[in-house]
Every structure is written in C-alpha cells, then in structure tokens.
Amino acid sequence: MNREPLFTPPNLHDSRRWSGMRVGLFGGTFNPPHAGHLHATHIAMKYLGLDAVWWLVTPGNPLKSRNGLPDIAKRIAQCQQLITHPRVIVTDIETRLGTVRTYDTVKVLQKRYPNTEFVWFSGTDISYEFHRWYKWKDLQHLIPFAFVGRPS
C-alpha cells in the first residue's frame, strides 16, 4: 500500500476539512505499536465504513502506570513507521487538547468538529476494562463504540 497519507493530521482549527466524514478514533498509548493495532484498524475501516482513522496517541492512560512509558514523540514516530494505509493518521491531538480521558476527548472533538461523525474502536482486550473508564455510561451515549477481536 501507499505509505503517503491522504490527509495531514487534524489540527485544532480545521473542522471544515473533516466535514461530512466518518472518522474512526483509535486511542491508546501504542507502547509499542504492533500488528494487532494494524489489524484492528483495517477491520474497523472495512466494517464501519470509515473515511479515515485517527490513531490518538495518548500522553498516558489514566488506568496504567506511566513508569517506563516512552515519550509521546517516540511513540508517534514508531506508529508512523508502522502505518502503511493512506487514510490512517497518527496524531497527538489529545496532547494539544489537554485531554487524557476518552470522555473528555470525545466531548471536545465533537464540539470542535460538529459536522464529523466519530466512531470509537478498540481491541476486545479493552472491552473487559471498559467499565473502569471515566464516565463510561455517559460515553456510550456520545459516540458509537466497536470492539475488534484479534485474528485467531
């Protein structure tokens, strides 16, 4: 596949560029990014009808220790080396928004990108801890969720 992305990463002032699109949000520490992340992304793109996917490389997961977590620039670089699909974008938008919790990130993204339809997806391993997420019950009403299994 073409390694050159079709889109540049989103910034905080370009909502019109994403207007009318269905964008998958795939958040995580990506420490390290791996083939399972790529698998989940390709499955989500295929079955959720996504125009683009944003890998949201988080500054840190509130449910995990940050001890030994490489800095975000290193993790972003690793993700960019792994990505080959032109509609998959690696972004540090959570850092620029000042959010680390999915609920807060989604609320801000929906406000800044009012004409973009967002869908959150993650691996099924996350589904087992979803009930521990901040405002998880409210989050379910903000955005559609999909959990993607690993290939067996």
Side-chain angles (χ1 to χ4, degrees):
M1 280 191 197
N2 180 10
R3 287 188 61 98
E4 191 65 33
L6 283 176
F7 307 108
T8 56
N11 67 54
L12 302 182
H13 307 287
D14 67 348
S15 68
R16 285 184 14 167
R17 180 166 62 122
W18 301 96
S19 184
M21 290 192 187
R22 184 173 169 95
V23 175
L25 302 175
F26 190 26
T29 55
F30 297 97
N31 182 32
H34 52 73
H37 294 126
L38 291 175
H39 170 78
T41 298
H42 293 174
I43 294 297
M45 290 179 80
K46 180 177 179 179
Y47 291 102
L48 300 176
L50 303 175
D51 297 305
V53 170
W54 297 356
W55 278 25
L56 306 178
V57 182
T58 186
N61 181 334
L63 299 177
K64 295 180 181 176
S65 170
R66 291 190 189 188
N67 290 340
L69 182 66
D71 70 31
I72 194 165
K74 180 177 181 175
R75 291 180 283 126
I76 285 173
Q78 290 173 330
C79 289
Q80 289 170 331
Q81 289 176 345
L82 189 63
I83 297 293
T84 58
H85 198 290
R87 292 185 291 135
V88 179
I89 300 155
V90 179
T91 179
D92 68 345
I93 199 165
E94 282 188 314
T95 298
R96 290 180 282 123
L97 293 173
T99 61
V100 292
R101 292 182 170 140
T102 302
Y103 177 86
D104 297 330
T105 299
V106 167
K107 289 287 281 185
V108 174
L109 288 176
Q110 288 176 331
K111 185 175 182 178
R112 286 187 176 266
Y113 299 85
N115 298 313
T116 303
E117 180 185 0
F118 291 110
V119 177
W120 190 278
F121 71 93
S122 62
T124 52
D125 55 318
I126 299 303
S127 67
Y128 300 110
E129 66 180 34
F130 187 63
H131 67 282
R132 296 178 54 214
W133 288 21
Y134 176 73
K135 293 190 175 185
W136 69 276
K137 288 182 181 179
D138 297 329
L139 185 58
Q140 296 175 88
H141 300 288
L142 289 180
I143 188 171
F145 268 78
F147 295 104
V148 179
R150 293 181 185 227
S152 55

